[in-house]
């Protein structure tokens, strides 16, 4: 039995090594689909993808390309069977300065004399911008936002669509839109109050554009952890993503789908939804693998989706 146990252990190690090599090769082949102007996409850990806002010379301001590339990127990630968790970061000195007014203002001005027709066209533009962040929420893979320094305007829209938010000690946040004469219209007013669970404070910050720091962000529940610097935060974010990725992708992604659904429905509707979901998902091989791994005191190995 001892010999058989050693043989089984060696076999698992060899199979595991082969799986890792195959996974790495597959991801390298697939990375050609993640070439963007405003984003840099990498795979820093097994089953983990990092999406970085990559316009550091423009303080990662959200230009015209960004609004469409985020949709393309996260739709591809949602369909990527080897990816189980995502970390969103910002390159350079800050996370993001929000909307690139110089680049995108032309998009917001619609020609024509008839107001309703202009409004219909503008509504289409706004809905397209909304999709840029809703695609994060619709992606079944958990998404972790890792914020350093400034997170302004559209940055708040972005991170409130993510599942988990982390930040550095020097991070600060601002719902900036009223300062440029408009109401936030791509997610903050809908998601931010639900994230922090304090309607009064959410309204104060939206009506005043008051800047708030990392300590207050943690107190209100916008972020769950604060790190001393960007390097420590990135390591912490990747460790958290790796931990999530080590779990059953069926279980984790099912949990996200259920939590997003339940946020916008009654408790009973949420229970009905997860009952229907699990009537299928409880038949997964992952349940058997998790139980067997626990009994054999080893780490479970889950196949890709």
């Amino acid at each position: 039995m001892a010999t058989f146990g050693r043989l089984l252990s060696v076999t698992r190690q060899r199979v595991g090594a082969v799986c890792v090599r195959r996974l790495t090769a597959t991801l390298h082949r697939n990375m050609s689909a993640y070439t963007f102007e405003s984003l840099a996409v990498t795979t820093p850990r097994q089953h983990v993808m990092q999406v970085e806002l990559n316009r550091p010379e423009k303080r990662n301001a959200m230009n015209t390309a960004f609004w469409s590339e985020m949709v393309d990127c996260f739709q591809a990630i949602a369909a990527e069977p080897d990816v189980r968790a995502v970390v969103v970061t910002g390159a350079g000195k800050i996370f993001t300065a929000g909307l690139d007014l110089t680049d995108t203002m032309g998009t917001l001005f619609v020609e024509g004399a008839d107001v309703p027709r202009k409004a219909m066209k503008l509504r289409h533009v706004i809905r397209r911008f909304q999709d840029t962040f809703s695609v994060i929420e619709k992606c079944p893979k958990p998404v972790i936002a890792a914020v350093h320094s400034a997170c302004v305007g559209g940055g708040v829209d972005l991170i409130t669509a993510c599942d988990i938010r982390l930040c550095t000690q020097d991070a600060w946040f601002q719902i900036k839109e009223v300062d440029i004469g408009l109401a936030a219209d791509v997610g903050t007013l809908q998601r931010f109050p639900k994230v922090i669970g304090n309607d009064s404070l959410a309204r104060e910050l939206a009506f005043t554009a008051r800047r708030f720091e990392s300590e207050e962000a943690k107190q209100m529940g916008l972020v769950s952890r604060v790190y001393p610097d960007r390097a420590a935060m990135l390591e912490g974010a990747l460790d958290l993503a790796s931990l999530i990725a080590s779990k059953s992708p069926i279980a984790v992604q099912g949990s996200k789908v259920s939590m997003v659904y339940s946020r916008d429905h009654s408790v009973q509707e949420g229970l009905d939804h997860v009952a229907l979901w699990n009537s299928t998902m409880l038949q997964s091989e992952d349940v058997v693998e998790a139980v067997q791994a626990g009994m054999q005191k080893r780490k479970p190995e889950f196949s890709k989706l």
Side-chain angles (χ1 to χ4, degrees):
M1 287 298 291
T3 302
F4 175 75
R6 285 195 297 271
L7 177 61
L8 184 60
S9 175
V10 170
T11 301
R12 278 205 188 96
Q13 290 174 2
R14 289 177 177 172
V15 170
V18 170
C19 289
V20 169
R21 287 197 296 271
R22 287 177 178 172
L23 171 64
T24 303
T26 300
L27 286 174
H28 280 309
R29 286 196 302 271
N30 292 347
M31 287 311 291
S32 59
Y34 297 97
T35 302
F36 302 108
E37 175 189 321
S38 66
L39 306 171
V41 182
T42 55
T43 53
R45 302 274 184 92
Q46 184 179 5
H47 299 304
V48 175
M49 189 165 274
Q50 181 177 349
V51 177
E52 186 155 76
L53 310 187
N54 193 36
R55 301 183 72 220
E57 72 289 350
K58 296 291 185 180
R59 300 190 302 166
N60 296 322
M62 300 169 177
N63 64 348
T64 302
F66 169 85
W67 296 99
S68 60
E69 288 181 346
M70 281 286 285
V71 175
D72 294 340
C73 179
F74 275 90
Q75 284 181 343
I77 290 172
E80 178 60 67
D82 290 316
V83 176
R84 299 181 184 177
V86 184
V87 176
V88 178
T89 58
K93 294 181 178 180
I94 72 170
F95 182 72
T96 179
L99 179 68
D100 187 335
L101 291 171
T102 304
D103 188 79
T104 58
M105 283 305 289
T107 309
L108 302 178
F109 287 102
V110 179
E111 294 182 354
D114 187 66
V115 172
R117 284 175 171 77
K118 289 170 65 176
M120 290 289 285
K121 292 177 181 178
L122 188 54
R123 179 176 178 271
H124 175 73
V125 172
I126 295 169
R127 291 297 296 269
R128 185 161 51 84
F129 279 19
Q130 290 173 346
D131 289 343
T132 298
F133 301 132
S134 292
V135 73
I136 299 173
E137 191 172 79
K138 292 175 182 176
C139 175
K141 321 295 173 71
V143 181
I144 302 167
V147 179
H148 73 289
S149 189
C151 179
V152 179
V156 180
D157 293 295
L158 190 162
I159 67 171
T160 51
C162 296
D163 300 286
I164 299 169
R165 288 158 295 278
L166 313 174
C167 76
T168 56
Q169 223 162 21
D170 69 347
W172 58 274
F173 306 82
Q174 189 175 22
I175 302 172
K176 182 72 172 173
E177 282 79 358
V178 295
D179 277 351
I180 57 173
L182 57 89
D185 57 5
V186 290
T188 289
L189 301 184
Q190 293 69 40
R191 296 187 179 101
F192 185 78
K194 294 180 179 180
V195 168
I196 70 171
N198 186 331
D199 185 71
S200 177
L201 180 57
R203 289 171 189 255
E204 174 195 330
L205 296 171
F207 298 162
T208 65
R210 175 172 70 80
R211 163 177 165 163
F212 57 97
E213 314 293 326
S214 59
E215 182 179 353
E216 186 178 1
K218 189 172 188 299
Q219 288 175 346
M220 72 175 65
L222 178 62
V223 301
S224 51
R225 300 185 197 179
V226 178
Y227 293 85
D229 53 46
R230 188 180 186 276
M233 177 189 64
L234 182 56
E235 190 69 16
L238 292 174
D239 286 345
L240 179 57
S242 292
L243 178 59
I244 292 170
S246 71
K247 310 298 182 183
S248 159
I250 293 290
V252 169
Q253 293 177 39
S255 296
K256 173 171 179 174
V257 169
S258 181
M259 293 180 81
V260 171
Y261 180 90
S262 295
R263 181 199 61 193
D264 299 326
H265 294 79
S266 70
V267 172
Q268 188 56 55
E269 288 171 325
L271 289 169
D272 291 341
H273 176 269
V274 76
L276 181 61
W277 181 276
N278 267 3
S279 64
T280 299
M281 298 305 169
L282 282 176
Q283 301 177 60
S284 167
E285 64 185 38
D286 290 13
V287 175
V288 177
E289 170 61 14
V291 172
Q292 288 182 342
M295 293 174 64
Q296 297 168 4
K297 297 182 179 180
R298 61 174 174 85
K299 289 184 178 181
E301 297 177 3
F302 301 107
S303 59
K304 67 181 181 180
L305 294 177

